Amino acid sequence: MKKYFLLLSVFWLAACHKPNTANLAEPWQPDYDVKRSEASIEAYEKMDAEKMPAPGGIVFTGSSSFTKWQHAAEDLAPLPIINRGFGGSTFPEVIHYAPRNVLKYNPKTIVTYCENDMFGKKPKTPEQVRNEYVTFVKLVRAKLPDVQLYFVSLKPSPSRWDKKDQVIKANELIQDYIKKDKEHHYIDVWPVMLKNGRPDGSIFVGDSLHMNDEGYRRWTKVFKPILEEAL
């Protein structure tokens, strides 16, 4: 009898610590062509043909905050950064291109940032954003079960501050999904990007969306010690 209850307790604890992959909302269908960034992906493939990155690196995937971090490899050296952010990509696009833009590198670590996902013409709820990320994770885990995953919180951008409640909700939902997976981690960039409770305008360029060098210096201070632990 004691053995029965012990086994039951083990199964119960395992279930409690298993990430919830169930959808929290109706599936969202993109109103754009998920192949619209083909030129960017082909440019990366051309780079790879000339010099393929070594396996076991740290792949950055996602939208323009990564794309524009053109000196990420230098900022985070000697970490083996493979920056494959592309344009204003969304999760459906990141998922579509994952085999060609993430998985083929056989990385040890994948870092994802995808702010544009809820800011297109077609409304998308925080729950649907979370669902898309879960889909991406399931795709990755099917091919790379032992990979370390890092999700970067959607940042507080001045141009989107009126939607901050939605951004915060999406971050919370994704963080809740992540915390039950010991190989999955959350990188919170909000503390270094706020001033007096609002986005610090001094770290953004003129569009009040993308960051300047100071913004990336702050991201470097957050990212580097966290990613060093992944090696």
Side-chain angles (χ1 to χ4, degrees), residues 40-226:
S40 296
I41 303 304
E42 289 178 352
Y44 284 136
E45 290 175 332
K46 183 177 180 180
M47 290 169 54
D48 295 339
E50 296 173 358
K51 184 179 181 181
M52 186 69 176
I58 301 174
V59 171
F60 281 14
T61 187
S63 55
S64 56
S65 288
F66 275 173
T67 312
K68 292 180 177 293
W69 197 357
Q70 297 180 0
H71 42 79
E74 291 78 15
D75 290 346
L76 297 168
L79 295 172
I81 303 299
I82 306 169
N83 190 348
R84 291 298 181 261
F86 57 101
S89 61
T90 60
F91 276 128
E93 293 168 283
V94 170
I95 292 166
H96 175 75
Y97 284 117
R100 295 166 59 189
N101 200 47
V102 177
L103 302 179
K104 76 172 186 179
Y105 300 108
N106 194 23
K108 182 178 180 180
T109 303
I110 298 171
V111 185
T112 305
Y113 182 80
C114 204
E115 179 183 352
N116 293 308
D117 203 54
M118 65 161 50
F119 295 108
K121 294 180 180 179
K122 183 179 178 180
K124 192 171 192 177
T125 67
E127 288 80 8
Q128 289 172 322
V129 172
R130 175 265 185 199
N131 290 349
E132 296 275 5
Y133 181 61
V134 172
T135 298
F136 172 69
V137 172
K138 289 166 70 176
L139 171 67
V140 169
R141 287 277 192 235
K143 298 293 184 180
L144 303 170
D146 299 321
V147 73
Q148 290 279 337
L149 296 174
Y150 289 80
F151 177 83
V152 183
S153 61
L154 309 184
K155 73 182 190 297
S157 301
S159 64
R160 293 170 172 170
W161 191 237
D162 61 325
K163 302 291 181 62
K164 67 180 183 301
D165 291 340
Q166 290 176 273
V167 173
I168 291 170
K169 180 65 173 178
N171 283 338
E172 289 175 343
L173 290 171
I174 292 173
Q175 189 173 18
D176 185 62
Y177 163 67
I178 286 172
K179 67 185 180 183
K180 291 186 178 180
D181 182 349
K182 66 179 181 179
E183 308 298 336
H184 208 158
H185 315 276
Y186 183 82
I187 300 178
D188 187 4
V189 296
W190 277 58
V192 299
M193 300 187 70
L194 297 177
K195 183 177 182 180
N196 298 323
R198 297 182 63 84
D200 184 351
S202 70
I203 64 173
F204 291 88
V205 298
D207 63 4
S208 295
L209 175 61
H210 297 102
M211 294 183 294
N212 57 26
D213 286 346
E214 174 58 24
Y216 285 116
R217 275 192 287 271
R218 296 186 190 184
W219 271 31
T220 299
K221 290 180 180 179
V222 174
F223 279 54
K224 195 165 187 177
I226 292 173

